[in-house]
Amino acid sequence: VLGGVRLNNKQLMIELAMPVAFMLMAAYVIVKGLSMGSEGVFPIMCAGVLLICAVYLLVQTLMKREVVVKLEGVNLPRVGLTLLTLLVYVFLLKKIGYAIDTFLLCALVIRSLGYKKFHVIVPCSVIAVAVTFVIFKVLLSVPLPMVFLDF
């Protein structure tokens, strides 16, 4: 019995998998960030927040009173496509640069949400690239892989 509700081992593993995966990911980013010097400060800060949230989620999972993760109705092909899209994004980031790659990702995400009009997809993607560029490159001085506009 865990928190008043009997969880079988399979359900418990599903419940604990996400916070454990997040903790491992955060630890990996922290270790990699430590070797990056001053460029690693922002990734380490983000990973620290992720680690705190993951530990909180783990504690809540162990203390909760009901099953939270429900896999019924999850569109697994769409989840798989989203993960594949993000992997392609990461792979192409250094090859075609931040601006083009992020524009394509935004356009694909907007399209997958059901918007079909070109005059909606293009401006929204351009705005998303511009806003994130200003936030990361200009305000936070985070180095972005750029094919052009590198300053």
Side-chain angles (χ1 to χ4, degrees):
V1 176
L2 182 64
V5 173
R6 186 161 180 79
L7 294 174
N8 62 36
N9 287 338
K10 180 181 176 184
Q11 185 64 38
L12 180 61
M13 296 306 287
I14 291 170
E15 295 283 331
L16 295 176
M18 187 171 55
V20 169
F22 286 155
M23 288 189 299
L24 292 172
M25 191 181 324
Y28 175 78
V29 171
I30 290 170
V31 169
K32 287 293 187 179
L34 290 173
S35 66
M36 296 173 61
S38 64
E39 290 181 352
V41 172
F42 184 71
I44 290 171
M45 288 178 8
C46 292
V49 171
L50 178 62
L51 184 61
I52 290 167
C53 292
V55 168
Y56 174 79
L57 185 58
L58 180 70
V59 170
Q60 288 299 317
T61 300
L62 292 172
M63 295 176 58
K64 73 180 176 297
R65 300 197 180 274
E66 62 185 38
V67 174
V68 173
V69 177
K70 295 175 177 58
L71 298 177
E72 298 85 29
V74 173
N75 187 341
L76 290 179
R78 182 168 262 178
V79 170
L81 180 61
T82 302
L83 290 174
L84 180 64
T85 302
L86 291 172
L87 288 173
V88 170
Y89 174 79
V90 170
F91 175 75
L92 291 177
L93 196 57
K94 289 187 177 181
K95 303 213 181 297
I96 63 175
Y98 168 81
I100 297 169
D101 198 26
T102 304
F103 174 84
L104 293 173
L105 175 69
C106 290
L108 184 65
V109 168
I110 293 168
R111 177 68 178 97
S112 72
L113 290 173
Y115 294 94
K116 297 178 181 176
K117 296 181 180 177
F118 190 71
H119 69 276
V120 171
I121 295 173
V122 171
C124 288
S125 298
V126 168
I127 290 169
V129 170
V131 167
T132 56
F133 178 85
V134 168
I135 290 171
F136 288 102
K137 183 77 172 178
V138 178
L139 296 177
L140 297 174
S141 299
V142 174
L144 299 172
M146 302 297 287
V147 173
F148 59 91
L149 295 177
D150 197 15
F151 57 89

